[in-house]
Every structure is written in structure tokens, then in C-alpha cells.
Amino acid sequence: MFGLTFEKILIIGIIAVFLLGPDKLPLYAAQLGRLVRQLRDMANGAKDRIRDEMGPEFDELDWKKLDPRQYDPRRIIREALTEETPLKEQSATLSRASPAAASLLGTAALSSLGPRTPSSVTRAPFDTEAT
């Protein structure tokens, strides 16, 4: 939790004993215990409220799937780029692509589509007043 190991917690405790002294240490330890208990109760209350508002769907939710730590942008992009699409769908997409996008996709894919006529080329909108 927060990168704290037992040794670090022990050092923090020893420093606290020296700084606070034996008189105030039990008072501050009790306050810390109450704070942790209140935070835990608040978290449980929020969880119960969400469970009440969402109903039975809350228990059916796969929380591991929604964990933001599992998202690796490199993996997502790699999977999206290596995703195999059917040839017909790919050729339809390439025939509607702009020349810039077509050059990004590669000339090998375009050569299989045949020659392009000027009427089939659509240009991206251009705003002359844009800064």
C-alpha cells in the first residue's frame, strides 16, 4: 500500500515517538485510528449507495475488466493495427480513402484495387480562415 514496507512504517513510528513524545503519542494514535475507521465507513457507505442505486447489475459487473491499470495504450494500438479485416471490407474502405490516407496504407494495397479516377478522389474539407 503506497509503497510502504514494514521497515518504512517502523522508521516512521520511531520518528513519531521522538517527535510527539510518549505523552501525546496515544492521543494521536487514537485520532489516526478514528480517521481510518471514518474513511473505511465512508467507502463502504459509497459502495452500498451505488449497490442500492444500480440494483442487481452492480454484483454482475466485472470490476477487473474496468481496472485502468490493465489498459496499455501500446497493446491497444498494436491489436487495432494487426486486426484482420475481410478483404471486401478493406477494399471498400481503401476506395473511399483520401490520397493522404491511401499513401499511409501503402501502395501494395492500392495496386490491387486498380486505377483511381479523379472523380473517385474526395478531398478533406479545407478552412481558409483557420489559423
Side-chain angles (χ1 to χ4, degrees):
M1 180 171 91
F2 304 115
L4 294 177
T5 61
F6 179 73
E7 294 83 18
K8 290 179 184 178
I9 294 174
L10 185 65
I11 291 173
I12 291 172
I14 292 171
I15 292 172
V17 168
F18 284 118
L19 289 178
L20 299 175
D23 315 349
K24 296 180 183 178
L25 190 62
L27 175 69
Y28 285 115
Q31 285 181 347
L32 179 65
R34 279 194 299 271
L35 176 69
V36 168
R37 215 173 301 119
Q38 286 177 346
L39 290 174
R40 187 180 58 220
D41 291 342
M42 286 173 45
N44 286 336
K47 188 188 305 183
D48 291 339
R49 185 173 174 186
I50 289 173
R51 182 175 279 125
D52 290 342
E53 290 181 7
M54 286 186 67
E57 298 168 359
F58 180 79
D59 295 325
E60 297 170 5
L61 216 60
D62 184 16
W63 292 103
K64 290 184 180 182
K65 191 170 119 180
L66 299 175
D67 185 11
R69 293 176 289 184
Q70 75 172 346
Y71 295 110
D72 180 21
R74 293 172 294 203
R75 180 185 53 85
I76 293 170
I77 291 172
R78 188 179 325 114
E79 287 176 359
L81 291 176
T82 59
E83 183 177 295
E84 303 263 340
T85 57
L87 186 59
K88 290 180 184 177
E89 181 182 324
Q90 195 174 34
S91 64
T93 305
L94 288 176
S95 65
R96 288 182 298 219
S98 67
S103 67
L104 289 175
L105 293 172
T107 56
L110 287 176
S111 64
S112 65
L113 295 175
R116 294 177 54 105
T117 60
S119 62
S120 67
V121 175
T122 57
R123 301 212 182 271
F126 180 74
D127 187 7
T128 57
E129 297 177 5
T131 55

